[in-house]
Amino acid sequence: MIKDTVVNGYENAPHRSLYYALGLTDEELQRPLIGIVSSYNEIVPGHMNLDKITEAVKTGVAMAGGTPIVFPAIAVCDGIAMGHVGMKYSLVTRDLIADSTECMVMAHGFDGLVMIPNCDKNVPGLLMAAARLNLPTVFVSGGPMLAGRVDGHKTSLSSMFEAVGAYSAGKIDEAKLREYECKTCPSCGSCSGMYTANSMNCLTEVLGMGLRGNGTIPAAYSARISLAKRAGMQVMELVRRNIRARDIMTEAAIRNAITADMALGCSTNSMLHLPAIANECGVDFDISMANDISARTPNLCHLAPAGPTYMEDLNEAGGVYAVLKELTKRNLLDTSVMTCTGKTLGENLEGVENLNPAVIRPIDDPYSETGGIAVLYGNLAENGCVVKRSAVAPEMLVHEGPARVFNSEEEAIKVIHNRGINPGDVVVIRYEGPAGGPGMREMLNPTSAIAGAGLDKSVALITDGRFSGATRGASIGHVSPEAASGGLIAYVHEGDLIAIDIPNHTITLKVPDEELSARKAAEKPLTKTDITGYLKRYAQQVSSADKGAIINKRG
């Protein structure tokens, strides 16, 4: 217990004097000290309510006999950062969050932790920190945003980005664009589809680190406050029983997370974050295992942008637990794993029912017999690339077309908005990888412009960058090795034929080997000379995407 090292004894009198400076009492110092990592800020819609969540967690901790102490974690809004230099600073915050949380906990010492994240890199960053610190830990997020409404249809942030594409293509007028702008994001919370933030918050439940409902109870619901109080109380139970983060985030739990990912149709970013979390847990993770798990895991949900349902609908249908219950009907999960409830996953799922088969398909009537994510291999991606298969139109599962090559997102978006992309094209955006970007920007602007122009069923996009969970269409990211590391994507020329076969997990640049050898001898990958500060350090240390863009593991 932390009391033995920084509270009790004459030698810790200096420490106690500083605790007294905080206004703490002797009684509070004799209780377990619980660090509450609050990601509250006033710039991220998913985080603007976290002050209320934090206060509720503090209440729960105190009710259960602990002393809550709050400190902060940063968070970037990917939507606001999208489409400009700010997106280079999104993924890189995942490691800043993990590192700064480690620093705060190790410097001050806590008996347990409650993590309060919500948005994209904030959740995996705190999961990485939890694994690294290995203390009794519970997660409680801020919850998803309610869906918007335009013309009687539910909307989410992807609808907004696609509306920009539709306006650029002349399909809607300025008044309709303005209506989308005002109605798409109607409340606080993480954006309302199965995007990265909601994907990772749902996976906290599967990993056993979040209580039931953590991924799906809307931010605006009072039940979210109640959940936060329960999380505060529950961490005290974990402290009493000495159940720690790595007792919960085991190899079996991580495999469960991949399985649930396939059923839910999560963001492709999970294939960056799960390897990084596994690395902190000391668990080997090869992204190729995603195909093996996908082959036996049906896709049960088509949440926006893949379909017309939203996080609020998933919540009403029974939430993540109802999806897991369906998966147990084919013994696809290890239900013996421990969770933050203090019970096994199997015990947690007792009595759970699927309350809406239209939102969560029964396992005998899935959207597809294979999972929502696929990893493709071939000469263009020797170490793999990732596609959200469940969001790809059936006619684009197999596609061959000429490459349209761009060395940055900005180059590509300019041509797309000028209607320079034709049906059948394969848009290639390179030098946007973890090191080459640096920061591995999301390509939501170009994919939304393509979808908004009505080309998502005839145009593919390939990048060594990544995609927002809001992306739909034949959008293939995480190409490894990346262009900056000399991957073949650096040597693609305008007009080269590229063949994509998602069902067979292949991606091929159809250029003779002798021609490719000649290109490699004559051409050198581009080097960016204007990178400074944290991004420069990040680029020097980050691994390739197939390794999870892990720091200090370049490869």
Side-chain angles (χ1 to χ4, degrees):
M1 297 289 282
I2 189 61
K3 289 187 288 294
D4 298 328
T5 55
V6 297
V7 174
N8 291 339
Y10 76 90
E11 68 277 11
N12 289 322
H15 301 95
R16 288 195 296 276
S17 72
L18 293 168
Y19 283 122
Y20 297 148
L22 294 172
L24 295 179
T25 66
D26 288 331
E27 290 82 1
E28 286 174 303
L29 292 180
Q30 290 307 307
R31 298 173 178 176
L33 300 182
I34 305 301
I36 300 176
V37 189
S38 173
S39 304
Y40 168 74
N41 65 50
E42 295 183 341
I43 189 61
V44 184
H47 290 235
M48 63 182 285
N49 65 322
L50 296 191
D51 55 342
K52 295 179 176 60
I53 300 296
T54 300
E55 288 303 313
V57 170
K58 288 174 65 177
T59 298
V61 169
M63 287 169 62
T67 299
I69 301 177
V70 178
F71 64 89
I74 64 170
V76 163
C77 177
D78 276 25
I80 294 174
M82 193 71 65
H84 58 91
V85 68
M87 182 47 68
K88 294 179 183 287
Y89 288 88
S90 173
L91 178 60
V92 304
T93 64
R94 186 185 71 181
D95 297 277
L96 281 175
I97 291 161
D99 292 347
S100 60
T101 302
E102 175 190 2
C103 290
M104 288 295 289
V105 172
M106 296 304 295
H108 300 105
F110 292 97
D111 297 306
L113 298 167
V114 179
M115 304 293 200
I116 309 177
N118 210 29
C119 288
D120 295 36
K121 312 310 165 302
N122 192 242
V123 184
L126 289 178
L127 283 166
M128 290 164 65
R132 195 181 297 176
L133 293 162
N134 199 31
L135 289 169
T137 305
V138 178
F139 275 65
V140 57
S141 75
M145 185 181 291
L146 294 171
R149 299 288 196 284
V150 175
D151 296 331
H153 299 288
K154 289 184 178 180
T155 60
S156 60
L157 186 63
S158 57
S159 310
M160 184 68 253
F161 277 91
E162 290 181 17
V164 173
Y167 176 77
S168 177
K171 292 178 176 290
I172 62 173
D173 61 16
E174 187 173 352
K176 181 57 68 176
L177 180 64
R178 176 65 175 166
E179 183 181 359
Y180 272 97
E181 189 176 332
C182 295
K183 295 182 177 179
T184 292
C185 298
S187 74
C188 62
S190 49
C191 296
S192 57
M194 186 54 83
Y195 308 151
T196 305
N198 291 327
S199 295
M200 295 308 301
N201 280 321
C202 286
L203 294 183
T204 62
E205 292 190 50
V206 188
L207 287 168
M209 296 298 290
L211 300 176
R212 182 179 183 180
N214 185 54
T216 60
I217 296 172
Y221 284 13
S222 298
R224 176 63 57 177
I225 301 296
S226 299
L227 181 72
K229 291 176 182 176
R230 290 200 301 272
M233 290 186 281
Q234 188 57 34
V235 75
M236 295 302 299
E237 175 68 12
L238 298 185
V239 169
R240 281 189 283 270
R241 294 176 58 182
N242 195 30
I243 298 174
R244 297 169 178 258
R246 290 204 298 269
D247 297 328
I248 294 170
M249 288 192 287
T250 61
E251 181 175 358
I254 290 168
R255 292 185 70 87
N256 282 348
I258 303 170
T259 302
D261 186 313
M262 296 300 168
L264 285 163
C266 291
S267 164
T268 52
N269 280 315
S270 63
M271 288 296 105
L272 275 179
H273 300 321
L274 287 174
I277 295 162
N279 178 66
E280 297 290 354
C281 293
V283 173
D284 291 333
F285 190 111
D286 187 323
I287 62 169
S288 64
M289 76 170 73
N291 287 338
D292 296 333
I293 292 174
S294 177
R296 57 179 181 271
T297 306
N299 177 226
L300 305 181
C301 299
H302 268 191
L303 294 145
T309 53
Y310 293 77
M311 296 306 295
E312 61 199 62
D313 302 312
L314 178 60
N315 186 63
E316 295 302 319
V320 174
Y321 274 31
V323 175
L324 300 182
K325 187 70 170 185
E326 290 290 343
L327 294 174
T328 63
K329 295 176 182 178
R330 289 191 187 175
N331 297 316
L332 293 172
L333 300 173
D334 184 336
T335 58
S336 70
V337 294
M338 177 55 62
T339 73
C340 70
T341 66
K343 300 178 181 179
T344 66
L345 178 61
E347 290 174 309
N348 289 344
L349 295 179
E350 290 177 5
V352 172
E353 297 180 15
N354 178 357
L355 302 177
N356 190 342
V359 175
I360 303 170
R361 288 280 189 92
I363 199 160
D364 293 329
D365 182 30
Y367 283 102
S368 68
E369 286 292 342
T370 54
I373 288 177
V375 179
L376 314 184
Y377 291 91
N379 66 346
L380 193 55
E382 292 183 3
N383 295 336
C385 56
V386 180
V387 62
K388 188 170 181 176
R389 177 177 181 161
S390 59
V392 178
E395 54 265 50
M396 289 299 292
L397 291 171
V398 178
H399 179 76
E400 181 174 313
R404 303 295 306 279
V405 183
F406 305 96
N407 288 334
S408 70
E409 177 187 4
E410 288 84 357
E411 290 182 14
I413 197 68
K414 182 176 180 180
V415 173
I416 295 168
H417 280 318
N418 287 332
R419 307 182 192 182
I421 300 299
N422 303 309
D425 286 348
V426 178
V427 175
V428 177
I429 304 178
R430 59 194 180 189
Y431 297 104
E432 293 285 5
M440 203 178 182
R441 287 193 289 181
E442 290 184 342
M443 300 291 136
L444 181 56
N445 269 0
T447 57
S448 297
I450 288 170
L455 295 173
D456 57 298
K457 295 182 180 179
S458 61
V459 170
L461 192 152
I462 297 171
T463 181
D464 53 7
R466 60 194 178 92
F467 295 111
S468 165
T471 289
R472 63 184 173 95
S475 302
I476 300 166
H478 306 198
V479 170
S480 301
E482 63 177 291
S485 298
L488 192 59
I489 191 172
Y491 302 100
V492 179
H493 285 189
E494 188 83 5
D496 287 347
L497 285 180
I498 295 176
I500 301 162
D501 188 336
I502 295 173
N504 288 308
H505 305 109
T506 62
I507 184 167
T508 307
L509 177 62
K510 300 184 77 171
V511 175
D513 289 343
E514 56 272 20
E515 169 63 18
L516 294 176
S517 296
R519 291 182 188 180
K520 291 178 181 179
E523 304 168 16
K524 298 296 181 185
L526 297 180
T527 300
K528 296 180 180 178
T529 59
D530 60 343
I531 306 302
T532 60
Y534 181 61
L535 288 181
K536 183 175 181 179
R537 187 162 73 250
Y538 182 87
Q540 292 169 341
Q541 297 177 336
V542 69
S543 79
S544 60
D546 64 292
K547 299 292 191 299
I550 296 167
I551 292 295
N552 292 326
K553 195 174 181 181
R554 187 73 186 270

